[in-house]
Amino acid sequence: MGSTGRVIVFDEKKSLVEFAMGIWREAYGESVAVRGYMTVALSGGETPVDLYRALARTDENPGRGNIHIFLADERFVPLTDKESNYHMVRETMGDAVSTFENHLHHVVTEGPTPDEAAERYEEELRRHFRLKPGELPRFDLIILGLGEDGHTASLFPGNPALGESKRLSRAVTLDSARHDRITLTLPVMNNARRIIFLVCGSRKAASLKGVVEDGNAALPASHVVPRDGSLCFLVDREAARLLTQKRKAH
């Protein structure tokens, strides 16, 4: 049994981006109507860059001042480092986020240890969402990616952070070749109103099949199953090449 989320296959990246923008606009409209603002969590990597650039040019971009952006995960590097997800979001969205800098809730990575950075990020989440003890934040939208090994955000196969059930944010220690990270935890992700995965490239094909068709529990992304929200995988033809079930194409 695979994921219960929708899987939509696109012939070109442009169509995928336009569809994702439609989900963003829908989330924005509903959120602003109810609360006056939208709260999203964004992922890094190369796949969402075109989407972020396109969003910066829309009427629903963060420059309107009623969108709060968090990061699904962050590398433990200075915010000016090219490996920083915060840096990537700032670079791709430009003036759309710099106008309202206090609406881009970054992970403090300069000074504290990764564990301390995760604790501070959790405090920021609790403050913004005005959480009582035991409550979880409810994001209007979370945008995630999928790694070749099935990881999403910074939840990697076999890492203790994958089993976290109480914390909102966790430090993730990796091997010496990779930066330590800070990530949102599964309970936070699975409390979101909407989650979309953006998956492109043939190298992601095996992990995508493992998540959406095989239900491979060893793949962290398989555990992203919103309890009371929607889940959608937006994928290109190359990433979908191993899928056996018929999928809606665009």
Side-chain angles (χ1 to χ4, degrees):
M1 180 67 70
S3 167
T4 57
R6 284 194 303 163
V7 179
I8 305 177
V9 182
F10 297 86
D11 290 325
E12 55 183 21
K13 182 73 172 292
K14 180 181 179 181
S15 298
L16 186 155
V17 168
E18 289 175 349
F19 195 94
M21 289 173 65
I23 296 177
W24 177 286
R25 290 191 180 101
E26 181 181 81
Y28 176 86
E30 291 182 7
S31 304
V32 171
V34 174
R35 288 176 300 282
Y37 64 91
M38 180 171 79
T39 304
V40 301
L42 304 183
S43 294
E46 296 180 4
T47 302
V49 168
D50 289 344
L51 171 61
Y52 297 166
R53 286 176 176 159
L55 287 170
R57 299 190 294 268
T58 69
D59 289 337
E60 299 84 6
N61 71 65
R64 294 178 64 89
N66 54 8
I67 298 179
H68 287 264
I69 294 178
F70 286 79
L71 297 173
D73 68 322
E74 180 61 283
R75 294 175 178 84
F76 193 68
V77 297
L79 298 180
T80 55
D81 194 296
K82 65 179 181 179
E83 294 293 314
S84 164
N85 288 341
Y86 168 86
H87 178 73
M88 184 275 279
V89 171
R90 282 293 311 272
E91 288 293 301
T92 55
M93 289 194 169
D95 292 341
V97 293
S98 61
T99 305
F100 289 89
E101 184 65 30
N102 62 327
H103 285 195
L104 180 52
H105 304 262
H106 66 275
V107 181
V108 178
T109 56
E110 296 173 313
T113 65
D115 284 331
E116 290 170 337
E119 290 175 2
R120 291 189 185 184
Y121 199 45
E122 181 162 329
E123 291 172 0
E124 177 66 7
L125 287 164
R126 294 189 181 281
R127 182 200 64 77
H128 174 79
F129 286 94
R130 300 178 181 178
L131 301 180
K132 297 177 182 178
E135 288 185 335
L136 293 168
R138 186 153 169 78
F139 280 96
D140 296 302
L141 175 64
I142 298 180
I143 297 177
L144 296 173
L146 178 67
E148 295 175 44
D149 60 356
H151 85 266
T152 190
S154 285
L155 297 174
F156 291 87
N159 193 279
L162 185 59
E164 179 61 58
S165 61
K166 296 180 180 180
R167 295 283 304 278
L168 309 183
S169 176
R170 273 285 303 261
V172 178
T173 301
L174 301 174
D175 55 67
S176 59
R178 296 181 290 179
H179 296 293
D180 290 341
R181 307 194 184 193
I182 294 88
T183 187
L184 295 180
T185 59
L186 279 173
V188 173
M189 296 180 191
N190 287 333
N191 199 45
R193 291 184 173 86
R194 294 174 179 80
I195 295 178
I196 57 176
F197 276 85
L198 306 179
V199 189
C200 295
S202 60
R203 294 186 302 176
K204 309 290 182 68
S207 60
L208 180 66
K209 183 179 186 302
V211 171
V212 303
E213 289 190 350
D214 302 337
N216 185 346
L219 305 178
S222 294
H223 298 273
V224 178
V225 184
R227 293 191 302 273
D228 184 25
S230 64
L231 174 64
C232 188
F233 293 81
L234 309 182
V235 309
D236 68 4
R237 286 289 179 189
E238 292 184 349
R241 64 184 176 84
L242 298 180
L243 300 183
T244 58
Q245 298 177 20
K246 291 184 178 179
R247 304 291 179 181
K248 184 176 181 181
H250 281 252

